[in-house]
Amino acid sequence: MLAYNETPVQQIQSDFLEKARMRLFLKREDLNHPFVSGNKWWKLKYNLEEARKKGQQKLLTFGGPYSNHIYATAAAAKACGMESIGMIRGEERLPLNSTLEFACREGMKLHYVSREMYRKKAEPGFVKDLEKKFGDFFLIPEGGTNEWAIQGCVEWTKKIQETKFDYLCLPVGTGGTMAGMIAGLQERNVIGFSVLKDGDFLTKDVSKLTFDYTGKVFSNWRIETQYHFGGYAKSNNALQDFIQQFEQDHDIALDRVYTGKMMFGILDSIKQNKFERETTILALHTGGLKGG
Ligand SMILES: *Cc1c(COP(=O)(O)O)cnc(C)c1O
């Protein structure tokens, strides 16, 4: 089992928020575990349990060379005494970047997959070939999003329910975490901030994930697609300056890929009067600052 540290809800105080008559809180889930942090802890929890139930000692998963999911899976496997294999998109580059170097140190075996093959990773033939090569394993998809991940995020909402809020905000990559929030919070409002360019397809993905999990259609949520800063892992000076200023003002670190974009999006939405006055927003700090 993975250790879990209870996490605080922290109010973000500023003149701007006070003048706008808004209350903004941050659920500091980045503090739940030093290496399997934020939403990745919850996304992996039931995957690990399921692997164990099936008697699997080996996890195999996919990710890009900077993937938080690869990083977290390597650490989680080690903590649970399991083996792990990371199928990394692209060619090996030495020296390893800090994500892959960490994964290696945690015992993950890295294998590189050409971009072309990587696109076929979900096809049965491809998975069969991997089984021939590596023997039995428990497969976790890229980004870790599957029904077990959603189950974990639904469980996470029990802790989030304790806080009073009008809107829950979170960054969206694959949408697995958001689907879990919608399914778990039921009728409460959820707003996702896409970190991907042209993120409109995420609305369809999140609808499908939520429906497949609950058998219900929810309408009290939406995804903002204006705050991607050029796309996945892209950033610019405005975003970097914002993150730096936020850390100076509030002593909270945000990452450039996910939480920085979400927080920028929330504050900008307030500026644009997209929220009613006297609204309470709870934002999820989903982690992503590797090494805790
Ligand atoms: C992986 C990740 C996300 C995205 O989660 P999805 O379930 O794929 O939408 C958000 N924030 C951080 C910090 C992450 O590492």
Side-chain angles (χ1 to χ4, degrees), residues 39-40 43 68 143 145 171-177 255 258-259 286-288:
N39 64 339
K40 299 301 187 281
K43 290 181 79 170
N68 292 343
T145 290
V172 179
T174 64
T177 306
D255 76 296
Y258 293 103
T259 53
T286 45

Side-chain angles (χ1 to χ4, degrees), residues 88-91 112-123 126:
I88 310 301
R89 187 186 59 232
E91 266 148 43
Y112 295 85
V113 188
S114 70
R115 284 171 179 273
E116 196 189 350
M117 288 303 284
Y118 196 84
R119 272 183 237 119
K120 301 183 182 156
K121 64 187 174 301
E123 292 176 10
F126 188 75

Side-chain angles (χ1 to χ4, degrees), residues 264-290:
F264 187 102
I266 292 171
L267 291 170
D268 189 66
S269 300
I270 293 172
K271 245 176 241 159
Q272 315 275 341
N273 293 315
K274 286 194 199 161
F275 292 102
E276 312 87 72
R277 291 205 147 198
E278 310 284 346
T279 295
T280 302
I281 297 169
L282 177 63
L284 298 183
H285 195 314
T286 45
L289 297 149
K290 293 170 186 150

Side-chain angles (χ1 to χ4, degrees), residues 175-195:
T177 306
M178 184 162 187
M181 290 300 122
I182 296 166
L185 294 171
Q186 299 277 326
E187 299 308 324
R188 303 183 75 172
N189 300 311
V190 180
I191 303 176
F193 290 81
S194 169
V195 304

Side-chain angles (χ1 to χ4, degrees), residues 195-198 226-236 261:
V195 304
L196 310 177
K197 201 171 162 178
D198 303 324
Q226 304 305 306
Y227 301 106
H228 57 73
F229 289 89
Y232 182 73
K234 298 265 166 43
S235 74
N236 63 17
K261 291 181 184 179

Side-chain angles (χ1 to χ4, degrees), residues 192-220:
F193 290 81
S194 169
V195 304
L196 310 177
K197 201 171 162 178
D198 303 324
D200 287 329
F201 73 94
L202 284 170
T203 299
K204 216 164 88 197
D205 288 0
V206 170
S207 300
K208 179 164 171 24
L209 288 167
T210 311
F211 182 79
D212 288 350
Y213 190 81
T214 61
K216 285 193 236 167
V217 176
F218 295 91
S219 56
N220 53 317

